[in-house]
Amino acid sequence: MSTTTFAAPTFHDDARLHDIAGAISAERIESDITTLVNFGTRHTLSETQSDTRGIGAARRWIKAEFEKISADCGGCLEVITVSDTISGQKRIPDPVEVVNVIAIQRGTTDPNRYVIMSGDIDSRVSDVMDYTSDSPGANDNATGVAGAIEAARVLSQYSFNGTIVYAALSGEEQGLFGGKILAAKAQKDGWRIKAVLNNDMIGNIEGVNGVIDNSTARLFAEGTRVTETAAEARTRRFTGGEVDSPSRNLARYIDRIADQYIENLDTMVIYRLDRYGRGGHHRPFNDLGYPGIRIMETNENYTRQHQDLRTEDGIKYGDTLDGVNFDYTAKLTSLNAVSLAAMSWAPTPPADVSIKGAVQPSTTLSWKGADTAQNPQLAGYKIYWRYTDAPQWQFSRYVGNVTEATLENVVIDNYFFGVASVSKSGIESPVVFPGAAGSFGD
């Protein structure tokens, strides 16, 4: 096929995804955040018996909300808790049951393919071991939990080929324990996870740097997988892939979703696991090799996070409701919901993608065809390529329902390449870079 004229990628516009974006309610999100704040503290070590205060009351309320959503969709959600008892840790010295609340919306044709949206239940003040003081945690991270609940409300009105998980995780501030517990379950049960969207602080628009901005968000995505073997590292040294891990291409995918479906939102893909020297609940999934990113506000306000409630030198400290912009939280929730829907309606990302073309005038990519019983919506595949210093995919060609295609006169040395699956309605999977460095798995 001739590539004399490069064609920029063209993306199908799906009305259902616009409908999903428009259905997210800032008012419902505000109500849910307010309820979570009113539990006083949600510290991992806090009260579990009270019905009105502490993390126990909060997680029971979250579970009840998921169960209401499931009742409204005819039982379409499986609502469970996933927990473990943690002890002997710096921030959990004595035995504590760390409990996650999970709602699972099973896929209709490929139920073992998973995408996950998560937020953190727990909150904290200045002393990470202070589990009795009021710790509203309005932005950090009632916003993420409220976003997951609201996404479940909207997406539960649809059915999808793949499975969507809405997760309220515990123990984040004490050492990412909730994420570790759920990631271990996923690995043990053989979940084919294609995306983890960790939402941690999605409500603040007034930065400590003085910037007020409701039109941008950050997508943190690590590069080379931490699970890479020595042999895989040697291959990558000669073929590339440092900026094309599945997490990075997941972030590029969501960046494209934002441009296409979310009004007045520009996402920044940041080539780092998380903020400098800090962490979040996507990391335990990355640690096991799963694609996962952190979605969050662009401008943090450090006087409003991890702080005792107080006023000093005219500055109000504390993570309270007045620091949350509910319309902004709804906007980032819309980004999550549309991304989850698109990935779950799309066919599974291509597996076993390989490439050849050294010392040749053309480049050939091949991949394993998707299981048609699991992916009846599959129409075919699209090849992408870009200059090696370009942050986003620049060129594309739809090649049909084949498992190999050649780009004539496109020299392998000058570009990075990838392959996406395309549904009959035009919805695409994330792009998969060839080899182990870019693999989304089977």
Side-chain angles (χ1 to χ4, degrees):
M1 59 185 71
S2 173
T3 55
T4 303
T5 301
F6 290 158
T10 57
F11 307 119
H12 176 80
D13 201 59
D14 193 295
R16 296 173 299 174
L17 297 178
H18 286 291
D19 290 342
I20 287 169
I24 298 295
S25 167
E27 290 75 19
R28 289 193 299 259
I29 287 172
E30 178 179 3
S31 176
D32 289 346
I33 292 173
T34 301
T35 298
L36 288 164
V37 165
N38 286 342
F39 288 115
T41 178
R42 304 186 307 278
H43 193 285
T44 297
L45 310 184
S46 66
E47 171 68 50
T48 60
Q49 299 304 311
S50 171
D51 291 329
T52 58
R53 184 176 178 85
I55 194 168
R59 66 197 184 206
R60 287 190 293 274
W61 175 80
I62 293 166
K63 186 171 184 288
E65 286 302 300
F66 280 141
E67 288 169 344
K68 288 178 187 176
I69 294 168
S70 184
D72 288 342
C73 64
C76 73
L77 300 182
E78 178 186 347
V79 182
I80 62 173
T81 57
V82 180
S83 64
D84 196 7
T85 299
I86 307 297
S87 65
Q89 303 295 321
K90 182 179 180 180
R91 294 185 177 184
I92 307 183
D94 301 317
V96 170
E97 187 180 21
V98 176
V99 181
N100 302 318
V101 184
I102 310 298
I104 304 172
Q105 185 175 352
R106 297 288 179 189
T108 58
T109 64
D110 194 3
N112 202 41
R113 170 163 59 100
Y114 288 79
V115 293
I116 300 172
M117 178 182 179
S118 69
D120 308 318
I121 304 173
D122 56 308
S123 62
R124 60 165 287 189
V125 289
S126 301
D127 178 0
V128 73
M129 299 304 292
D130 179 354
Y131 60 86
T132 59
S133 295
D134 280 352
S135 177
N139 186 44
D140 184 14
N141 187 25
T143 56
V145 172
I149 294 171
E150 178 65 6
R153 287 195 188 102
V154 172
L155 296 184
S156 61
Q157 302 306 305
Y158 299 82
S159 62
F160 299 94
N161 297 90
T163 293
I164 301 175
V165 174
Y166 314 95
L169 305 177
S170 296
E172 192 265 348
E173 302 290 4
Q174 306 308 113
L176 309 179
F177 289 105
K180 292 174 184 177
I181 291 166
L182 184 59
K185 172 183 171 57
Q187 185 181 59
K188 178 176 179 291
D189 292 349
W191 291 9
R192 291 167 36 238
I193 296 178
K194 305 303 178 184
V196 176
L197 310 184
N198 172 39
N199 289 260
D200 196 343
M201 294 188 289
I202 59 170
N204 181 71
I205 65 169
E206 299 180 26
V208 73
N209 56 357
V211 173
I212 299 177
D213 176 22
N214 68 353
S215 65
T216 64
R218 293 181 289 180
L219 310 177
F220 286 92
E222 73 168 353
T224 305
R225 269 193 177 103
V226 70
T227 56
E228 182 182 64
T229 67
E232 290 168 348
R234 175 174 172 78
T235 298
R236 179 177 51 78
R237 183 182 182 192
F238 295 100
T239 61
E242 294 83 0
V243 295
D244 278 280
S245 67
S247 293
R248 292 268 168 92
N249 278 316
L250 171 61
R252 291 187 180 101
Y253 183 85
I254 294 173
D255 178 59
R256 194 182 90 192
I257 290 287
D259 291 341
Q260 190 170 359
Y261 291 103
I262 311 301
E263 294 179 3
N264 193 34
L265 181 65
D266 182 35
T267 53
M268 302 166 53
V269 177
I270 298 182
Y271 287 0
R272 187 180 290 130
L273 172 64
D274 208 314
R275 300 149 303 157
Y276 198 85
R278 303 172 74 183
H281 250 149
H282 56 303
R283 195 180 91 193
F285 294 90
N286 290 155
D287 287 346
L288 297 182
Y290 296 121
I293 67 171
R294 179 184 184 132
I295 299 175
M296 70 174 302
E297 63 211 24
T298 301
N299 298 289
E300 292 182 69
N301 194 322
Y302 307 124
T303 65
R304 296 176 178 171
Q305 59 181 250
H306 300 179
Q307 296 286 347
D308 291 338
L309 300 177
R310 68 194 192 280
T311 299
E312 290 182 359
D313 299 325
I315 298 174
K316 181 181 177 182
Y317 290 84
D319 189 359
T320 52
L321 281 168
D322 56 355
V324 176
N325 183 289
F326 304 109
D327 289 331
Y328 180 72
T329 303
K331 186 185 297 187
L332 296 198
T333 299
S334 295
L335 176 64
N336 279 265
V338 173
S339 299
L340 294 168
M343 286 185 284
S344 300
W345 272 324
T348 189
D352 297 339
V353 178
S354 63
I355 190 169
K356 59 184 180 182
V359 296
Q360 296 179 30
S362 303
T363 299
T364 298
L365 291 107
S366 60
W367 54 91
K368 184 172 75 173
D371 184 304
T372 55
Q374 294 177 337
N375 299 273
Q377 76 278 36
L378 176 72
Y381 300 90
K382 184 186 283 189
I383 292 177
Y384 282 89
W385 65 106
R386 70 180 197 273
Y387 290 114
T388 61
D389 61 349
Q392 186 57 277
W393 296 102
Q394 297 172 290
F395 317 112
S396 69
R397 174 154 296 169
Y398 179 71
V399 295
N401 193 1
V402 297
T403 57
E404 182 175 291
T406 298
L407 298 171
E408 300 290 351
N409 299 319
V410 178
V411 177
I412 195 172
D413 300 320
N414 298 342
Y415 306 92
F416 288 148
F417 299 84
V419 185
S421 303
V422 184
S423 77
K424 293 172 184 176
S425 65
I427 298 179
E428 300 180 23
S429 74
V431 178
V432 181
F433 184 83
S439 174
F440 278 73
D442 292 332

